[in-house]
């Protein structure tokens, strides 16, 4: 038992010394290739065994022949271990370079294509993560392109809609200044109308900028949808009469919600104005509100004839106005974008779908406890 313990101690001492040297070597080459590190690890294992064997042989005074046999066996093992480590290191490095090249391709704007050669489990996991990141980047670039297109359209449409009233204001002011206006009072009334329209347009732009910046101030309070919709219908009634459109709100449940009354009134107002302007004379705009499993659903249905399926996904985009003429009273295409922004600020969602003869805009809000 005592001899066995001594052998173990001598072997441990020799192997420990080799391990410390190997740790130092790994620290020195920690920034080098993985192949070099694997070679050092393989060498440490073999040299540690050799050092332990030599220490035991020296203590036990083995014969030169036995020591030569042991040394030869260890040397052959060292050669095999080093060759295996070098081959493994080169294989792992090659797979890593292929993965790096694939990652560089999607970093330059392309899509990530995982290497076809088999790799280690860690490299496979890294490849999957890179593929997921590539997909997210592609979606982000697509959203960025869509936003950039939307911004360009908005600038173009706003410029068009501002140019017309400004030209009219300039012509009427010059007529009044030169004293050639046949009916000054009518001119002044028209100027007031155009100024109010420009003011509304600027207000919409300011509201939209606060929504996009995430600085829209909300003061939620408990309100009944019945009262909220009643006030909105009363406010939209003059416009409906002017267009010969009937407003119907007989399917409204008195459901409580916690919302900012002013902002939600703007949502209802924008939806009603949009519906009234798109509905032909003698048509009907219906408002409904009910509680569902998802929350409280408020809907506005019109008789616009429906929206093309390819345009449904763009209805709430900033500046979108479909294929209609870009002239008043179509507006700057900000109303529905503001609707979506305010609803999402209330942790809700805004959707649109076609129904027979028209379309239905639905706003889903969290139900008040």
């Amino acid at each position: 038992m005592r001899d066995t313990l001594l052998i173990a101690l001598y072997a441990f001492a020799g192997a420990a010394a080799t391990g410390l040297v190997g740790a130092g070597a790994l620290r020195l080459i920690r920034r080098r290739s993985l192949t070099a590190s694997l070679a050092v690890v393989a060498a440490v294992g073999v040299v540690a065994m050799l050092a332990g064997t030599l220490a035991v042989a020296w203590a036990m005074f083995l014969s030169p022949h036995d020591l030569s046999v042991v040394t030869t066996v260890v040397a052959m093992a060292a050669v095999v271990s080093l060759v295996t480590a070098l081959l493994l290191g080169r294989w792992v490095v090659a797979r890593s370079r292929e993965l790096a090249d694939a990652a560089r391709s999607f970093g330059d704007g392309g899509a990530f294509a995982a290497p076809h050669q088999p790799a280690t489990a860690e490299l496979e996991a890294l490849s999957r993560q890179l593929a997921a990141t590539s997909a997210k980047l592609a979606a982000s670039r697509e959203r960025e392109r869509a936003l950039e297109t939307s911004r360009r359209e908005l600038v173009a449409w706003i410029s068009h809609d501002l140019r017309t009233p400004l030209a009219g204001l300039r012509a009427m002011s010059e007529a009044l200044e030169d004293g050639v206006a046949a009916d000054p009072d009518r001119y002044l009334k028209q100027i007031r109308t155009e100024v109010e329209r420009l003011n509304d347009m600027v207000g919409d732009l300011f509201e939209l900028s606060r929504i996009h910046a995430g600085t829209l101030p909300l003061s939620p309070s408990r309100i009944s949808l019945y009262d909220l919709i009643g006030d909105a219908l009363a406010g939209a009634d003059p416009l409906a009469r002017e267009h010969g459109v009937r407003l119907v709100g007989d399917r409204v449940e008195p459901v409580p919600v916690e919302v900012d009354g002013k902002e939600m009134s703007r949502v209802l107002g924008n939806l009603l104005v949009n519906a009234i302007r798109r509905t032909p004379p003698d048509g009907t705009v219906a408002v409904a509100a009910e509680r569902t499993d998802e929350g409280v659903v408020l809907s506005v249905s019109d008789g616009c004839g429906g929206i093309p399926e390819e345009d449904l996904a763009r209805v709430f985009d900033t500046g979108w106005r479909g294929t209609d003429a870009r002239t008043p009273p179509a507006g700057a295409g900000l109303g529905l974008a503001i609707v979506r922004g305010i609803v999402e600020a209330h942790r809700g969602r805004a959707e649109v779908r076609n129904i027979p003869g028209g379309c239905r805009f639905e706003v889903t809000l969290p139900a008040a406890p």
Side-chain angles (χ1 to χ4, degrees), residues 312-329:
L312 282 175
R314 297 198 59 200
V315 167
F316 292 100
D317 289 352
T318 302
W320 185 86
R321 288 184 295 187
T323 56
D324 291 343
R326 298 171 184 169
T327 55

Side-chain angles (χ1 to χ4, degrees), residues 142-154:
E142 187 62 31
R143 287 194 299 269
E144 184 178 353
R145 282 192 291 267
L147 287 174
E148 184 62 26
T149 301
S150 177
R151 281 192 289 267
R152 290 198 190 98
E153 291 177 348
L154 176 61

Side-chain angles (χ1 to χ4, degrees), residues 266-317:
R266 183 163 194 162
V267 167
L268 281 171
N270 286 357
L271 289 177
L272 286 172
V273 168
N274 181 73
I276 291 171
R277 287 176 173 171
R278 300 295 181 179
T279 300
D282 294 330
T284 300
V285 172
V287 183
E290 59 182 350
R291 185 190 295 271
T292 66
D293 295 337
E294 298 181 349
V296 177
V297 178
L298 186 155
S299 64
V300 177
S301 304
D302 58 35
C304 66
I307 300 173
E309 292 295 330
E310 62 273 13
D311 290 340
L312 282 175
R314 297 198 59 200
V315 167
F316 292 100
D317 289 352

Side-chain angles (χ1 to χ4, degrees), residues 56 85 126 179 185 222-223 288 292 365:
V56 172
L126 179 59
D185 291 338
R222 192 180 181 89
I223 303 174
T292 66
L365 298 169

